[in-house]
Amino acid sequence: MKRRFRATAAVLVLALSLSLTGCGSNGSTAGSNPGGGNSTSAETKTIKFAHWFAEDHPQHLSMLKFKELLEERSNGTLKVEIYPNSQLGSEDVYDQSVSQGTVEMGCAGTNIQMYLPRIAVSEAPFLFNGWEDAEEILTGEIGEALTDGLIEGGNMRCLAITVNGFRQTSSNKPMYSMDDMKGQKLRTPNIPHFIQMMDCLGVTSVPMAMSEIFNALETKVADGQENPYPTIYTSSFYEVQKYVLESNHMFSPNFWVINENFYQSLSDEQREALESSIAEAAEYNWDISIEADNNAKANIEAAGNTTIIVPDEAFKQQMREAMSPVYDYFYEKSPDIEDWVKMVREYQAAH
């Protein structure tokens, strides 16, 4: 997809008095080298990059591209070790490790709201109007405004916003109406706004880490879960689920973050190689994610174990209305959250 949006949001961002120093910027340039990086020589460094996805997921494939690009562009002075499948711990664990500097990079979800509460609203229900809408907003200046303050709050820098995707709901029980949803036990991340959304649907949340989901579904500890199609497929959840409701109830971004102290320790040349490699790999991630979403859905259907339910407009509207109080929950957390949603809505109205 083409990235048409770059400057439209600038006025809106200034109205929020945000400095727009989030993804890839903190008011300093590689050339200013405030952290003592050396512009003429560089020692070889290793980047541990942690994430929770399976190795055939678009996120992991994009990280492999990043590794290839960076090791080449840094002339071998930056090595990348990728740790998929929560090998370095669940997301909350490795997010803290990135903040503390014991892990250099991580693929974070909105769990990093612990360092910057505004991050959470990117997963507000039915916020985005489709893939192109999400990409243009999150990879432009509105996305930069979203992550502004992460360095100060979490000692980590957002280098790119990438894709988890539009989330669907799977279960071993039918989901043809709002009444079918009520009382079901669905796994959610242990993140407050997910639990709020499930409460609005009359669903019982069963918070747990990604690594625990398959066993919980197989043993009926949970009736179901919610994740994008590629995660449902690559993590084999469809093998133990009879139904998938194509709810598209939220879009989940991922944030490729780096420990700020480590970032500042790099030479100018290493930073340039890092940022150009991240930009290309992140764009690749967006480019392959729609195809991966469609392929995962087709593969789930072809397996023959799972019925995919596409809700009619009435059902969709009922879900939107039921989840609308989640916005009040967000707005009560911080006034700048409502301002950020206003930026999104004004951009959407103009496009």
PDB file of all heavy atoms in Angstrom, residues 308-330:
ATOM      1  N   ILE A 308     -16.227 -20.316   9.921  1.00  0.00           N
ATOM      2  CA  ILE A 308     -16.004 -18.868  10.008  1.00  0.00           C
ATOM      3  C   ILE A 308     -17.341 -18.158   9.830  1.00  0.00           C
ATOM      4  O   ILE A 308     -18.056 -18.369   8.850  1.00  0.00           O
ATOM      5  CB  ILE A 308     -14.982 -18.397   8.973  1.00  0.00           C
ATOM      6  CG1 ILE A 308     -13.596 -18.958   9.335  1.00  0.00           C
ATOM      7  CG2 ILE A 308     -14.935 -16.866   8.896  1.00  0.00           C
ATOM      8  CD1 ILE A 308     -12.487 -18.554   8.415  1.00  0.00           C
ATOM      9  N   ILE A 309     -17.671 -17.338  10.809  1.00  0.00           N
ATOM     10  CA  ILE A 309     -18.947 -16.619  10.826  1.00  0.00           C
ATOM     11  C   ILE A 309     -18.685 -15.154  10.486  1.00  0.00           C
ATOM     12  O   ILE A 309     -17.918 -14.475  11.180  1.00  0.00           O
ATOM     13  CB  ILE A 309     -19.601 -16.703  12.219  1.00  0.00           C
ATOM     14  CG1 ILE A 309     -19.823 -18.166  12.632  1.00  0.00           C
ATOM     15  CG2 ILE A 309     -20.915 -15.922  12.247  1.00  0.00           C
ATOM     16  CD1 ILE A 309     -20.132 -18.342  14.102  1.00  0.00           C
ATOM     17  N   VAL A 310     -19.272 -14.666   9.414  1.00  0.00           N
ATOM     18  CA  VAL A 310     -19.175 -13.252   9.051  1.00  0.00           C
ATOM     19  C   VAL A 310     -20.451 -12.571   9.532  1.00  0.00           C
ATOM     20  O   VAL A 310     -21.547 -12.864   9.032  1.00  0.00           O
ATOM     21  CB  VAL A 310     -19.003 -13.071   7.534  1.00  0.00           C
ATOM     22  CG1 VAL A 310     -18.939 -11.586   7.189  1.00  0.00           C
ATOM     23  CG2 VAL A 310     -17.739 -13.779   7.056  1.00  0.00           C
ATOM     24  N   PRO A 311     -20.371 -11.680  10.516  1.00  0.00           N
ATOM     25  CA  PRO A 311     -21.579 -11.073  11.077  1.00  0.00           C
ATOM     26  C   PRO A 311     -22.260 -10.132  10.095  1.00  0.00           C
ATOM     27  O   PRO A 311     -21.592  -9.497   9.273  1.00  0.00           O
ATOM     28  CB  PRO A 311     -21.050 -10.315  12.295  1.00  0.00           C
ATOM     29  CG  PRO A 311     -19.634  -9.996  11.951  1.00  0.00           C
ATOM     30  CD  PRO A 311     -19.139 -11.162  11.138  1.00  0.00           C
ATOM     31  N   ASP A 312     -23.575 -10.050  10.164  1.00  0.00           N
ATOM     32  CA  ASP A 312     -24.285  -9.087   9.322  1.00  0.00           C
ATOM     33  C   ASP A 312     -24.146  -7.697   9.930  1.00  0.00           C
ATOM     34  O   ASP A 312     -23.601  -7.511  11.028  1.00  0.00           O
ATOM     35  CB  ASP A 312     -25.753  -9.483   9.139  1.00  0.00           C
ATOM     36  CG  ASP A 312     -26.532  -9.571  10.461  1.00  0.00           C
ATOM     37  OD1 ASP A 312     -26.113  -8.946  11.458  1.00  0.00           O
ATOM     38  OD2 ASP A 312     -27.551 -10.276  10.485  1.00  0.00           O
ATOM     39  N   GLU A 313     -24.639  -6.686   9.219  1.00  0.00           N
ATOM     40  CA  GLU A 313     -24.453  -5.301   9.661  1.00  0.00           C
ATOM     41  C   GLU A 313     -25.116  -5.038  11.007  1.00  0.00           C
ATOM     42  O   GLU A 313     -24.595  -4.269  11.826  1.00  0.00           O
ATOM     43  CB  GLU A 313     -24.986  -4.334   8.603  1.00  0.00           C
ATOM     44  CG  GLU A 313     -24.084  -4.198   7.386  1.00  0.00           C
ATOM     45  CD  GLU A 313     -22.674  -3.756   7.742  1.00  0.00           C
ATOM     46  OE1 GLU A 313     -22.535  -2.844   8.596  1.00  0.00           O
ATOM     47  OE2 GLU A 313     -21.712  -4.318   7.187  1.00  0.00           O
ATOM     48  N   ALA A 314     -26.263  -5.675  11.236  1.00  0.00           N
ATOM     49  CA  ALA A 314     -26.953  -5.463  12.514  1.00  0.00           C
ATOM     50  C   ALA A 314     -26.110  -5.970  13.681  1.00  0.00           C
ATOM     51  O   ALA A 314     -25.985  -5.297  14.716  1.00  0.00           O
ATOM     52  CB  ALA A 314     -28.314  -6.164  12.493  1.00  0.00           C
ATOM     53  N   PHE A 315     -25.515  -7.141  13.521  1.00  0.00           N
ATOM     54  CA  PHE A 315     -24.665  -7.716  14.563  1.00  0.00           C
ATOM     55  C   PHE A 315     -23.431  -6.838  14.779  1.00  0.00           C
ATOM     56  O   PHE A 315     -23.029  -6.552  15.911  1.00  0.00           O
ATOM     57  CB  PHE A 315     -24.283  -9.150  14.174  1.00  0.00           C
ATOM     58  CG  PHE A 315     -23.590  -9.949  15.248  1.00  0.00           C
ATOM     59  CD1 PHE A 315     -23.411  -9.467  16.537  1.00  0.00           C
ATOM     60  CD2 PHE A 315     -23.111 -11.226  14.952  1.00  0.00           C
ATOM     61  CE1 PHE A 315     -22.766 -10.220  17.513  1.00  0.00           C
ATOM     62  CE2 PHE A 315     -22.464 -11.985  15.925  1.00  0.00           C
ATOM     63  CZ  PHE A 315     -22.282 -11.476  17.197  1.00  0.00           C
ATOM     64  N   LYS A 316     -22.819  -6.374  13.686  1.00  0.00           N
ATOM     65  CA  LYS A 316     -21.657  -5.494  13.811  1.00  0.00           C
ATOM     66  C   LYS A 316     -22.007  -4.227  14.588  1.00  0.00           C
ATOM     67  O   LYS A 316     -21.248  -3.783  15.470  1.00  0.00           O
ATOM     68  CB  LYS A 316     -21.129  -5.112  12.423  1.00  0.00           C
ATOM     69  CG  LYS A 316     -20.467  -6.228  11.654  1.00  0.00           C
ATOM     70  CD  LYS A 316     -20.022  -5.713  10.281  1.00  0.00           C
ATOM     71  CE  LYS A 316     -19.462  -6.824   9.420  1.00  0.00           C
ATOM     72  NZ  LYS A 316     -19.120  -6.335   8.053  1.00  0.00           N
ATOM     73  N   GLN A 317     -23.149  -3.632  14.248  1.00  0.00           N
ATOM     74  CA  GLN A 317     -23.542  -2.400  14.924  1.00  0.00           C
ATOM     75  C   GLN A 317     -23.815  -2.652  16.399  1.00  0.00           C
ATOM     76  O   GLN A 317     -23.491  -1.818  17.258  1.00  0.00           O
ATOM     77  CB  GLN A 317     -24.777  -1.798  14.246  1.00  0.00           C
ATOM     78  CG  GLN A 317     -25.213  -0.454  14.799  1.00  0.00           C
ATOM     79  CD  GLN A 317     -24.122   0.609  14.693  1.00  0.00           C
ATOM     80  OE1 GLN A 317     -23.304   0.581  13.774  1.00  0.00           O
ATOM     81  NE2 GLN A 317     -24.112   1.549  15.623  1.00  0.00           N
ATOM     82  N   GLN A 318     -24.393  -3.791  16.721  1.00  0.00           N
ATOM     83  CA  GLN A 318     -24.628  -4.130  18.124  1.00  0.00           C
ATOM     84  C   GLN A 318     -23.308  -4.251  18.889  1.00  0.00           C
ATOM     85  O   GLN A 318     -23.202  -3.806  20.039  1.00  0.00           O
ATOM     86  CB  GLN A 318     -25.425  -5.430  18.218  1.00  0.00           C
ATOM     87  CG  GLN A 318     -26.875  -5.294  17.800  1.00  0.00           C
ATOM     88  CD  GLN A 318     -27.561  -6.644  17.632  1.00  0.00           C
ATOM     89  OE1 GLN A 318     -26.935  -7.693  17.684  1.00  0.00           O
ATOM     90  NE2 GLN A 318     -28.881  -6.607  17.429  1.00  0.00           N
ATOM     91  N   MET A 319     -22.297  -4.824  18.252  1.00  0.00           N
ATOM     92  CA  MET A 319     -20.989  -4.919  18.908  1.00  0.00           C
ATOM     93  C   MET A 319     -20.386  -3.539  19.099  1.00  0.00           C
ATOM     94  O   MET A 319     -19.814  -3.231  20.162  1.00  0.00           O
ATOM     95  CB  MET A 319     -20.060  -5.813  18.090  1.00  0.00           C
ATOM     96  CG  MET A 319     -20.367  -7.298  18.204  1.00  0.00           C
ATOM     97  SD  MET A 319     -19.089  -8.368  17.465  1.00  0.00           S
ATOM     98  CE  MET A 319     -19.424  -8.133  15.707  1.00  0.00           C
ATOM     99  N   ARG A 320     -20.487  -2.681  18.079  1.00  0.00           N
ATOM    100  CA  ARG A 320     -19.951  -1.317  18.205  1.00  0.00           C
ATOM    101  C   ARG A 320     -20.610  -0.584  19.374  1.00  0.00           C
ATOM    102  O   ARG A 320     -19.930   0.061  20.190  1.00  0.00           O
ATOM    103  CB  ARG A 320     -20.187  -0.530  16.913  1.00  0.00           C
ATOM    104  CG  ARG A 320     -19.345  -0.952  15.736  1.00  0.00           C
ATOM    105  CD  ARG A 320     -19.489   0.032  14.589  1.00  0.00           C
ATOM    106  NE  ARG A 320     -18.893  -0.468  13.370  1.00  0.00           N
ATOM    107  CZ  ARG A 320     -19.564  -1.093  12.402  1.00  0.00           C
ATOM    108  NH1 ARG A 320     -20.882  -1.237  12.496  1.00  0.00           N
ATOM    109  NH2 ARG A 320     -18.940  -1.533  11.326  1.00  0.00           N
ATOM    110  N   GLU A 321     -21.919  -0.661  19.430  1.00  0.00           N
ATOM    111  CA  GLU A 321     -22.644   0.050  20.485  1.00  0.00           C
ATOM    112  C   GLU A 321     -22.319  -0.522  21.860  1.00  0.00           C
ATOM    113  O   GLU A 321     -22.158   0.236  22.832  1.00  0.00           O
ATOM    114  CB  GLU A 321     -24.149  -0.030  20.215  1.00  0.00           C
ATOM    115  CG  GLU A 321     -24.578   0.776  18.989  1.00  0.00           C
ATOM    116  CD  GLU A 321     -26.039   0.561  18.628  1.00  0.00           C
ATOM    117  OE1 GLU A 321     -26.710  -0.254  19.315  1.00  0.00           O
ATOM    118  OE2 GLU A 321     -26.514   1.195  17.660  1.00  0.00           O
ATOM    119  N   ALA A 322     -22.203  -1.834  21.938  1.00  0.00           N
ATOM    120  CA  ALA A 322     -21.900  -2.461  23.228  1.00  0.00           C
ATOM    121  C   ALA A 322     -20.524  -2.052  23.732  1.00  0.00           C
ATOM    122  O   ALA A 322     -20.317  -1.863  24.940  1.00  0.00           O
ATOM    123  CB  ALA A 322     -21.979  -3.983  23.097  1.00  0.00           C
ATOM    124  N   MET A 323     -19.565  -1.883  22.809  1.00  0.00           N
ATOM    125  CA  MET A 323     -18.198  -1.568  23.207  1.00  0.00           C
ATOM    126  C   MET A 323     -17.928  -0.070  23.324  1.00  0.00           C
ATOM    127  O   MET A 323     -16.833   0.324  23.753  1.00  0.00           O
ATOM    128  CB  MET A 323     -17.215  -2.169  22.202  1.00  0.00           C
ATOM    129  CG  MET A 323     -17.107  -3.681  22.253  1.00  0.00           C
ATOM    130  SD  MET A 323     -15.805  -4.252  21.114  1.00  0.00           S
ATOM    131  CE  MET A 323     -15.821  -6.018  21.448  1.00  0.00           C
ATOM    132  N   SER A 324     -18.876   0.773  22.984  1.00  0.00           N
ATOM    133  CA  SER A 324     -18.623   2.217  22.996  1.00  0.00           C
ATOM    134  C   SER A 324     -18.217   2.757  24.370  1.00  0.00           C
ATOM    135  O   SER A 324     -17.423   3.718  24.438  1.00  0.00           O
ATOM    136  CB  SER A 324     -19.850   2.977  22.469  1.00  0.00           C
ATOM    137  OG  SER A 324     -20.990   2.732  23.282  1.00  0.00           O
ATOM    138  N   PRO A 325     -18.685   2.183  25.503  1.00  0.00           N
ATOM    139  CA  PRO A 325     -18.227   2.694  26.801  1.00  0.00           C
ATOM    140  C   PRO A 325     -16.723   2.556  27.025  1.00  0.00           C
ATOM    141  O   PRO A 325     -16.169   3.217  27.916  1.00  0.00           O
ATOM    142  CB  PRO A 325     -19.010   1.843  27.815  1.00  0.00           C
ATOM    143  CG  PRO A 325     -20.241   1.415  27.089  1.00  0.00           C
ATOM    144  CD  PRO A 325     -19.776   1.192  25.680  1.00  0.00           C
ATOM    145  N   VAL A 326     -16.053   1.721  26.242  1.00  0.00           N
ATOM    146  CA  VAL A 326     -14.598   1.576  26.396  1.00  0.00           C
ATOM    147  C   VAL A 326     -13.899   2.908  26.106  1.00  0.00           C
ATOM    148  O   VAL A 326     -12.865   3.214  26.709  1.00  0.00           O
ATOM    149  CB  VAL A 326     -14.065   0.454  25.482  1.00  0.00           C
ATOM    150  CG1 VAL A 326     -12.548   0.338  25.607  1.00  0.00           C
ATOM    151  CG2 VAL A 326     -14.723  -0.873  25.838  1.00  0.00           C
ATOM    152  N   TYR A 327     -14.463   3.706  25.211  1.00  0.00           N
ATOM    153  CA  TYR A 327     -13.866   5.007  24.934  1.00  0.00           C
ATOM    154  C   TYR A 327     -13.896   5.898  26.179  1.00  0.00           C
ATOM    155  O   TYR A 327     -12.926   6.611  26.466  1.00  0.00           O
ATOM    156  CB  TYR A 327     -14.584   5.687  23.764  1.00  0.00           C
ATOM    157  CG  TYR A 327     -14.162   5.143  22.424  1.00  0.00           C
ATOM    158  CD1 TYR A 327     -14.779   4.020  21.885  1.00  0.00           C
ATOM    159  CD2 TYR A 327     -13.138   5.738  21.696  1.00  0.00           C
ATOM    160  CE1 TYR A 327     -14.389   3.499  20.662  1.00  0.00           C
ATOM    161  CE2 TYR A 327     -12.736   5.244  20.467  1.00  0.00           C
ATOM    162  CZ  TYR A 327     -13.360   4.114  19.952  1.00  0.00           C
ATOM    163  OH  TYR A 327     -12.956   3.599  18.738  1.00  0.00           O
ATOM    164  N   ASP A 328     -15.000   5.848  26.943  1.00  0.00           N
ATOM    165  CA  ASP A 328     -15.062   6.620  28.185  1.00  0.00           C
ATOM    166  C   ASP A 328     -13.993   6.142  29.159  1.00  0.00           C
ATOM    167  O   ASP A 328     -13.385   6.953  29.874  1.00  0.00           O
ATOM    168  CB  ASP A 328     -16.450   6.493  28.816  1.00  0.00           C
ATOM    169  CG  ASP A 328     -17.536   7.119  27.956  1.00  0.00           C
ATOM    170  OD1 ASP A 328     -17.235   8.103  27.248  1.00  0.00           O
ATOM    171  OD2 ASP A 328     -18.682   6.615  27.982  1.00  0.00           O
ATOM    172  N   TYR A 329     -13.761   4.836  29.180  1.00  0.00           N
ATOM    173  CA  TYR A 329     -12.713   4.287  30.038  1.00  0.00           C
ATOM    174  C   TYR A 329     -11.359   4.883  29.658  1.00  0.00           C
ATOM    175  O   TYR A 329     -10.580   5.301  30.530  1.00  0.00           O
ATOM    176  CB  TYR A 329     -12.686   2.765  29.910  1.00  0.00           C
ATOM    177  CG  TYR A 329     -11.398   2.129  30.367  1.00  0.00           C
ATOM    178  CD1 TYR A 329     -11.123   1.959  31.725  1.00  0.00           C
ATOM    179  CD2 TYR A 329     -10.436   1.716  29.438  1.00  0.00           C
ATOM    180  CE1 TYR A 329      -9.924   1.395  32.138  1.00  0.00           C
ATOM    181  CE2 TYR A 329      -9.243   1.146  29.853  1.00  0.00           C
ATOM    182  CZ  TYR A 329      -8.993   0.988  31.200  1.00  0.00           C
ATOM    183  OH  TYR A 329      -7.807   0.430  31.603  1.00  0.00           O
ATOM    184  N   PHE A 330     -11.073   4.946  28.363  1.00  0.00           N
ATOM    185  CA  PHE A 330      -9.811   5.534  27.923  1.00  0.00           C
ATOM    186  C   PHE A 330      -9.722   7.013  28.293  1.00  0.00           C
ATOM    187  O   PHE A 330      -8.702   7.488  28.803  1.00  0.00           O
ATOM    188  CB  PHE A 330      -9.652   5.384  26.411  1.00  0.00           C
ATOM    189  CG  PHE A 330      -9.216   4.030  25.961  1.00  0.00           C
ATOM    190  CD1 PHE A 330      -9.955   3.313  25.030  1.00  0.00           C
ATOM    191  CD2 PHE A 330      -8.046   3.462  26.446  1.00  0.00           C
ATOM    192  CE1 PHE A 330      -9.540   2.065  24.593  1.00  0.00           C
ATOM    193  CE2 PHE A 330      -7.621   2.211  26.016  1.00  0.00           C
ATOM    194  CZ  PHE A 330      -8.379   1.510  25.089  1.00  0.00           C
TER     195      PHE A 330
END
